[in-house]
Structure formats: structure tokens, C-alpha cells
Amino acid sequence: ATTAPRIPSTRLALHHFDTSYSLHLGALWPSVRAGLLCEQKYGALLNNFAAADHVPQELELLNATDFISEASQKAQQWQQVVAAGGAARGCQEGSGEGRTGMQAEIMTQAKTSPLLSASISSKIKCYTFPRGDITRFRPARPDALGLLDYYLMDAASLLPVLALNVQPDDFVLDLCAAPGGKTLALLQAGFCGHLAANDISVSRTKRLYQILHSYVPKEVRDTVSVTTYDGRDWDQVNGGTFHKVLVDVPCTTDRHSAMEEDNNIFHKRRTKERQMLPMLQLQLLMAGILAAKPGGEVVYSTCSLSPLQNECVVE
């Protein structure tokens, strides 16, 4: 053990990704691989609780744009195109021309996808720089009451929150909440009747508390209950009570695994833990389903490209 060459965990991770994702993604993998290894770009999630009306103008002067409102506009344009295309195809079908399966699938997705519908919240705003622009955002600043004006996060992390489509007075459970970015985003919508933020890790939960105190006023924090249960046992604590449940599970965290040695799950000492991830994810998803009311909605998400951690768990 002392004489064997030490292979960095990041290299082991990248070798694993090259082996598995090249088969899964095919010709897409080289560009995805480059994306994983590029410098990380952040989005600035505006804090609606801070007195920071000047921030959007400041960011727009730097050429940053709110990607959520842009997506909403593009979705509306897309739905108009789909509707027009459907009318045109209806005329064609009358003259004997059929509609392809792909066209039908696109129309179905446009009608049902939460990211192509009114579920995109007008209250949540996240600014990003254009593709290819790696400008860094300045550190967040406090307002007169000490609340920070924005939270820097991977903008893609907002997609599960948008898909959850929280409605006024919903009871919401964030089953694996720490370190707290998605919990903060859920509060930005201003709709939660009550938010339960749970995470098994005490140290990560401390980070969640810090975020809540830095960004959220006390009267709103009082509507959030922070717990440190094992998420797999949540249904035994409080089952069948939530309208919306977010199950953002622990995973191989692909970008971190390919870029950072610290706390890397591809370290040889964590091999068994990594192999057991899909079972843990399945147990957490089952607990999330059992925590939801009949007719409630559950969003399952990871930050991994692995089918074993995504499609296979859901299936």
C-alpha cells in the first residue's frame, strides 16, 4: 500500500466516466466531457427578501441576463410554433398526410413539460453570463438589514425547483436539503405554506442554517423546520402530509468528482459507498413518495449523468 502509485481520485473518476458515459452518450460525450472539465460558471439567484432593487440593473450592465425569464419567453414562442405547426399538420392530415411520431412527441412535450409551461416562476430570477463569457460575479453584499443580495449557485440546480411548481400555501418537503441552495430557491417563490428542510448530515445542516440566516428574514425562517433525520425513514416520522416533495439525492456529483480531490467519492476508501448509491437513492425516492399526500407531486433529481442513478432508480 505504501509503495503502490497513488492514482488521484479525479483521474479514477474521469476514467470511469470515459468508460461508461462514452457508451451512454456516444458522439455527445466529448463535448460533455469538455463541459465537465471547464471552469465552473455560476448563476446569481436574486434574493427577493433583500432590499436590492438596484441589483438587476447592475447585473444587466455587465451583460448578464435572467435565464428563467428568457426560458419562459422561448417556451411561449415554442408553444406558438407548435400550435401553428399542429394546425398546419391538421390540414395536411385532411389531405391524407400523416403526422410523424417525433412531431407528436414534440407536441406532447410542449404541452406537458413543466419547463415549457406556466410553472416557470416569475418570482425566481437567476442571472447568468452568456455562453463563453466566464466573468465572475462580485461577492454578495448585505442590505441595510444584513440580508445578502444574491446567492451564487450552479444555475442548473434551479431546474428541479422550477419543475416542482410550488403553488400558494403548499406544504413542501426538501428531503436532502443541505447545503441549502434549493431550499433558498423554494423560499424565493414566496408560496410555501410550510417548508420542511431535512438532511442527515449535521455539518451540512449547519451550512443550511447559515444560508437561511444570511438570506431570509426571521418571520420567513419561522415557517421553515430544519431537521436531521435519515431521509429514508421520513415516512415513519411524518408520512403522507406534503403537497410537493423534492428528492435531490446524494450522487457521484460528476463535476466535483472530475475536478476536486477533496471529499471525492471515487477515492478508493469510498468504493463501497459509491456502489451503494443507487440503492440509497431508491430508498430516498420511496420515502419521498410516501411523504407526499395522495395526488401530491415528487421531483427526483441528481447532478450525475449516470443512468444507474437516474432512469434506473425512477424505473
Side-chain angles (χ1 to χ4, degrees):
T2 58
T3 57
R6 293 184 179 180
I7 302 175
S9 302
T10 49
R11 193 188 303 175
L12 288 174
L14 200 55
H15 174 71
H16 175 85
F17 296 156
D18 281 333
T19 304
S20 58
Y21 294 164
S22 59
L23 294 174
H24 173 53
L25 296 173
L28 286 174
W29 172 235
S31 60
V32 174
R33 187 184 196 273
L36 279 178
L37 297 174
C38 281
E39 180 179 351
Q40 186 164 5
K41 286 183 62 172
Y42 288 99
L45 172 67
L46 293 195
N47 184 13
N48 293 327
F49 302 116
D53 296 339
H54 63 284
V55 174
Q57 184 178 6
E58 176 189 330
L59 295 178
E60 286 164 10
L61 287 173
L62 296 173
N63 203 29
T65 55
D66 174 22
F67 91 88
I68 298 174
S69 63
E70 280 189 345
S72 181
Q73 293 167 6
K74 289 177 181 176
Q76 291 172 1
Q77 293 169 359
W78 173 246
Q79 287 174 326
Q80 290 170 357
V81 169
V82 169
R89 281 191 293 274
C91 295
Q92 291 172 353
E93 286 165 5
S95 62
E97 292 187 28
R99 181 170 63 190
T100 67
M102 179 62 77
Q103 289 168 333
E105 182 181 349
I106 289 172
M107 288 190 70
T108 303
Q109 288 177 351
K111 291 175 182 176
T112 60
S113 171
L115 298 183
L116 291 178
S117 70
S119 70
I120 297 182
S121 172
S122 60
K123 291 179 177 285
I124 299 177
K125 295 187 182 300
C126 184
Y127 280 79
T128 57
F129 290 108
R131 182 188 294 265
D133 183 344
I134 57 171
T135 303
R136 294 183 178 223
F137 290 98
R138 61 159 174 80
R141 296 171 183 159
D143 67 1
L145 298 177
L147 298 177
L148 297 178
D149 52 9
Y150 56 63
Y151 178 75
L152 296 180
M153 65 189 302
D154 186 331
S157 295
L158 283 177
L159 299 182
V161 174
L162 296 174
L164 201 59
N165 192 20
V166 175
Q167 298 298 308
D169 300 322
D170 274 352
F171 274 52
V172 181
L173 170 62
D174 189 352
L175 191 62
C176 308
K182 294 181 180 68
T183 305
L184 178 62
L186 284 166
L187 290 171
Q188 295 303 313
F191 287 156
C192 297
H194 177 75
L195 175 60
N198 178 74
D199 200 279
I200 191 173
S201 169
V202 175
S203 60
R204 284 166 57 87
T205 304
K206 288 180 181 177
R207 171 68 177 146
L208 171 60
Y209 274 116
Q210 289 172 352
I211 287 176
L212 291 175
H213 278 270
S214 299
Y215 288 88
V216 182
K218 185 179 185 303
E219 61 271 18
V220 179
R221 290 202 305 270
D222 289 343
T223 68
V224 182
S225 59
V226 179
T227 54
T228 53
Y229 297 119
D230 185 331
R232 293 171 290 184
D233 302 327
W234 184 271
D235 62 296
Q236 299 172 23
V237 180
N238 209 356
T241 55
F242 293 93
H243 301 95
K244 302 288 171 67
V245 181
L246 176 59
V247 187
D248 184 58
V249 294
C251 65
T252 49
T253 321
D254 292 353
R255 173 186 280 277
H256 175 87
S257 296
M259 298 287 281
E260 302 285 342
E261 284 296 316
D262 183 45
N263 200 31
N264 195 309
I265 199 165
F266 281 86
H267 192 285
K268 288 186 176 180
R269 287 198 300 266
R270 302 183 71 184
T271 300
K272 188 68 174 177
E273 179 187 352
R274 188 177 75 250
Q275 291 171 343
M276 292 301 292
L277 272 175
M279 179 56 67
L280 171 63
Q281 293 160 344
L282 176 60
Q283 292 168 333
L284 287 167
L285 177 54
M286 288 299 297
I289 292 169
L290 292 171
K293 287 176 176 286
E297 296 180 32
V298 178
V299 169
Y300 171 85
S301 63
T302 77
C303 43
S304 169
L305 297 167
S306 167
L308 286 175
Q309 298 177 62
N310 291 295
E311 297 94 317
C312 294
V313 171
V314 174
E315 286 169 9

